[in-house]
Amino acid sequence: QVQLVESGGGLVQPGGSLRLSCAASGIIFANKQWGWYRQAPGKERELVATISSVGTTNYADSVKGRFTISRVIAAKTVYLQMNDLKPEDTAVYYCNFENRRSWGQGTQVTVSS
C-alpha cells in the first residue's frame, strides 16, 4: 500500500525558513520523478518543484532561487527547503510522484507577521 506522509509545516514570519519532509512507504522510490505541490484557499493545486529519477530539479518561477527540492533515497524521503518565505507562499503543501492519482493529507504552511 502506497503511503506518503508530509510534515514540517507551521507558522513563520516573512523572510523565515521551513523544511518540509515527505516520507514514502510501499513503493519503489528511486525510479520515479517526485514533486511538491501547493494549494492556497480558493485556488487550484499548483506544481512548485520537481526532482527527476537522476536528480535533475525544476522550479516554478514564483519560488526559483528561494526553494530547493532534494531527496535521500535510502530513507525514501523527499525534502523541500523553503527560504525567504513570503505571505503568498501560504498554502497546504503536498508531495507526490508522476502518474499517481491520490493525495495525502498535506502540511500547512502559513507565512504571516
Side-chain angles (χ1 to χ4, degrees), residues 69-86:
I69 187 172
S70 62
R71 63 180 181 172
V72 177
I73 293 173
K76 294 185 176 180
T77 303
V78 185
Y79 299 97
L80 186 68
Q81 178 67 46
M82 306 186 296
N83 298 324
D84 192 25
L85 283 160
K86 305 175 185 298

Side-chain angles (χ1 to χ4, degrees), residues 10-29:
L11 175 63
V12 65
Q13 294 186 14
S17 297
L18 285 173
R19 188 195 194 199
L20 307 185
S21 298
C22 172
S25 61
I27 57 164
I28 299 172
F29 182 90

Side-chain angles (χ1 to χ4, degrees), residues 2-6 22-25 27 34 95-97 100 104-105:
V2 176
Q3 187 165 219
L4 307 179
V5 180
E6 299 96 339
C22 172
S25 61
I27 57 164
W34 290 87
C95 70
N96 220 333
F97 55 87
R100 184 171 184 259
Q105 84 286 353

Side-chain angles (χ1 to χ4, degrees), residues 15-101:
S17 297
L18 285 173
R19 188 195 194 199
L20 307 185
S21 298
C22 172
S25 61
I27 57 164
I28 299 172
F29 182 90
N31 66 342
K32 297 175 172 60
Q33 177 168 282
W34 290 87
W36 281 97
Y37 302 75
R38 67 187 181 188
Q39 187 167 30
K43 306 283 285 184
E44 295 282 303
R45 185 183 289 111
E46 64 173 342
L47 181 63
V48 174
T50 61
I51 184 165
S52 78
S53 62
V54 296
T56 302
T57 58
N58 194 51
Y59 300 91
D61 288 342
S62 59
V63 308
K64 203 169 296 180
R66 300 188 296 120
F67 290 12
T68 303
I69 187 172
S70 62
R71 63 180 181 172
V72 177
I73 293 173
K76 294 185 176 180
T77 303
V78 185
Y79 299 97
L80 186 68
Q81 178 67 46
M82 306 186 296
N83 298 324
D84 192 25
L85 283 160
K86 305 175 185 298
E88 52 263 42
D89 296 319
T90 296
V92 178
Y93 284 71
Y94 303 87
C95 70
N96 220 333
F97 55 87
E98 60 181 319
N99 300 319
R100 184 171 184 259
R101 297 185 176 94

